[in-house]
Amino acid sequence: MGLAVLLALTVVVYIQENVGWGWGFGIPAIAMFLSVLSFVVGYPLYVKVKPEGSPFKRLLQVVVAAFKKRKEDVPEDAGLLYHNKELDAPIAADGRLLHTDQLRFLDRAAVLTTDDVADSGEPHLWRVSTVHRVEELKSIVRMLPLWAASITLIAAASHNFTFAIQQARTMDRHLTPSFQIPPATMIIFTTLTMLVSLGLYDRVFVPLARRHTGRRSGITYFQRMGAGFAVSVLGVMAGAFVETKRRSVAAEHGLLDSPNAVVPISVFWLVPQYALHGMSDALSTVGHMEFLYDQSPESMRSSAAALFWVAGSLGNYLGTVLVTVVQSASKGVWLQDNINRGRLDYYYWLVTFLLVLNLVYYIVCFHFYTLKTFEVDAGDEAQRPRDGGGEQGGEWQVQPCDGQVGASGKGVGTVGDGEKHMH
């Protein structure tokens, strides 16, 4: 995907700027046709796994059952709630989720009452749910606040595809007297920095961090996400400083009322903000995907991973809403067609402030977050991460499991108690 982005930001953008938009749209259309053709040809070779029912139906059953029993008392002993190993086996290959004390109103769905189970032993799933199924819903609900923190991050980065390009268009973009960089190509510095950062992270940072933390992954994905959020603050702050500089140069040369004039300042002043956003992506994006995959219920990992793309969509919509609100509140002064007369730097400072608030929000949500825990039968042998590395590169060991074991994930410090430790 990184190579495709690089080609789009260089070759395709150059063709759009210098050849025409017909070829600029035609080449991506041809590429999409070839992609669809490749998918159709390869589809018969794909191994399709038979689904074990819709996970969303199970979540709805828990909500309905809890509502029907809203007047029932939840026993203090979680062992009195409904458990059914055979029923949960197809959706709990790694082990059944253990009961947690959060969101206890949902536990009413697992309270056994008259007529909840048929004479044949089959439960009426719209009246009663197992503890494992209740905990599936709890896991999703607990993930949502941390998941939502990425929406603001994506909204803040969205201006790299709009306002930053507008800045680049007014700056000196010449590499040689006869060749200048297309404004949209500047986004390549975000992509390149992200790719380089990923390599340095895996090959340099992780080995160094591993020596201090003892984790194969170096740091937890919670820490990685938090670092990405912090770097994004610096990225927008850099944009504010550069816009202040660009606008002051325009004023010095009497270009404030000449929106189409080239301000005598190099476009490479924009590289730091693009590079910082690329570094932020390398940290937060990967950490976010690992978090969603690792902390989601086993049977809902693909659905939970889809939340990553939902956050991207909502983030871009939020960016649009933010621009609309700022435009209205500032009465069109901050964001003008004439960027030299506008106050884009004020907008960047506002976004910086919002990102700081978002970072504080993320830290608070992390503090109250409870990692999932699950159990396997005594005598069974299961693979568990020794250092909380999860399935994305953790160090594995085979150990007999008896009762409760901790969740797999970079956020788990101690296997067995489900407690997270940020070292």
Side-chain angles (χ1 to χ4, degrees):
M1 187 171 70
L3 178 61
V5 172
L6 291 178
L7 289 174
L9 295 177
T10 53
V11 177
V12 176
V13 169
Y14 180 82
I15 291 174
Q16 290 174 344
E17 290 282 332
N18 296 278
V19 178
W21 285 92
W23 279 106
F25 283 114
I27 291 176
I30 294 172
M32 284 298 300
F33 173 77
L34 294 176
S35 298
V36 172
L37 183 63
S38 175
F39 174 81
V40 172
V41 171
Y43 182 77
L45 303 177
Y46 185 76
V47 178
K48 295 177 280 293
V49 180
K50 184 179 179 180
E52 295 289 344
S54 170
F56 299 105
K57 180 180 178 180
R58 293 198 302 272
L59 299 182
L60 182 59
Q61 287 173 335
V62 173
V63 173
V64 171
F67 179 77
K68 288 180 177 179
K69 298 177 180 178
R70 59 190 179 279
K71 296 182 180 180
E72 297 289 339
D73 294 328
V74 178
E76 293 296 329
D77 184 3
L80 299 177
L81 298 174
Y82 182 57
H83 298 264
N84 191 322
K85 176 184 175 182
E86 294 181 356
L87 180 64
D88 293 332
I91 58 174
D94 286 347
R96 289 170 295 166
L97 294 173
L98 290 175
H99 177 265
T100 59
D101 290 330
Q102 292 178 323
L103 305 172
R104 285 184 59 84
F105 62 91
L106 293 175
D107 289 340
R108 290 182 172 85
V111 176
L112 273 173
T113 59
T114 307
D115 298 329
D116 282 348
V117 180
D119 294 337
S120 61
E122 291 292 327
H124 299 297
L125 295 180
W126 292 99
R127 290 185 53 85
V128 64
S129 296
T130 63
V131 169
H132 174 82
R133 295 174 182 231
V134 172
E135 290 301 321
E136 281 187 325
L137 179 55
K138 288 185 181 182
S139 296
I140 294 296
V141 173
R142 286 196 297 262
M143 289 169 56
L144 291 179
L146 287 173
W147 163 79
S150 64
I151 296 177
T152 305
L153 181 70
I154 295 169
S158 64
H159 61 243
N160 280 334
F161 301 91
T162 53
F163 295 127
I165 294 177
Q166 190 177 4
Q167 288 176 284
R169 191 173 293 278
T170 67
M171 302 170 77
D172 182 9
R173 297 178 278 114
H174 284 88
L175 288 180
T176 67
S178 59
F179 177 79
Q180 60 180 354
I181 305 173
T185 300
M186 291 300 296
I187 305 173
I188 195 175
F189 291 104
T190 296
T191 305
L192 287 175
T193 305
M194 180 184 68
L195 295 175
V196 172
S197 297
L198 289 172
L200 292 176
Y201 182 90
D202 288 334
R203 299 300 179 181
V204 179
F205 176 77
V206 170
L208 292 175
R210 186 183 301 150
R211 297 177 185 177
H212 298 281
T213 64
R215 298 177 182 275
R216 183 172 178 79
S217 56
I219 60 176
T220 69
Y221 46 62
F222 290 111
Q223 293 168 325
R224 187 169 184 172
M225 289 171 62
F229 291 157
V231 173
S232 69
V233 175
L234 299 179
V236 181
M237 189 181 299
F241 285 126
V242 171
E243 174 57 17
T244 301
K245 172 67 176 178
R246 190 202 65 80
R247 193 173 183 277
S248 65
V249 172
E252 290 174 3
H253 290 79
L255 300 175
L256 290 181
D257 295 315
S258 303
N260 296 323
V262 175
V263 180
I265 179 175
S266 174
V267 73
F268 292 105
W269 277 81
L270 297 175
V271 171
Q273 70 187 68
Y274 278 113
L276 287 169
H277 280 292
M279 188 181 302
S280 173
D281 287 344
L283 292 169
S284 61
T285 299
V286 177
H288 189 207
M289 294 186 72
E290 289 180 342
F291 162 70
L292 292 173
Y293 182 86
D294 190 68
Q295 288 299 301
S296 62
E298 175 190 343
S299 62
M300 297 187 64
R301 282 174 175 163
S302 60
S303 300
L307 287 174
F308 173 82
W309 302 107
V310 173
S313 300
L314 293 177
N316 284 289
Y317 279 120
L318 179 60
T320 302
V321 171
L322 179 61
V323 169
T324 303
V325 172
V326 170
Q327 185 75 349
S328 175
S330 68
K331 294 180 173 56
V333 174
W334 287 16
L335 306 175
Q336 300 183 26
D337 293 335
N338 181 1
I339 190 175
N340 295 334
R341 277 294 180 185
R343 296 314 305 251
L344 183 58
D345 51 342
Y346 289 176
Y347 172 80
Y348 281 152
W349 284 118
L350 173 63
V351 174
T352 300
F353 174 71
L354 294 178
L355 285 177
V356 171
L357 292 181
N358 188 63
L359 178 59
V360 174
Y361 164 80
Y362 172 78
I363 294 173
V364 172
C365 290
F366 166 77
H367 178 75
F368 291 101
Y369 184 76
T370 299
L371 290 160
K372 70 176 184 181
T373 55
F374 55 90
E375 66 178 359
V376 294
D377 291 337
D380 288 348
E381 287 192 343
Q383 289 184 334
R384 298 290 177 256
R386 180 179 302 167
D387 64 349
E391 297 183 13
Q392 298 79 21
E395 180 179 353
W396 296 89
Q397 64 177 345
V398 177
Q399 65 178 15
C401 300
D402 185 5
Q404 178 177 344
V405 297
S408 62
K410 293 185 179 64
V412 181
T414 304
V415 174
D417 61 3
E419 182 181 356
K420 58 182 182 292
H421 300 277
M422 298 282 285
H423 299 292

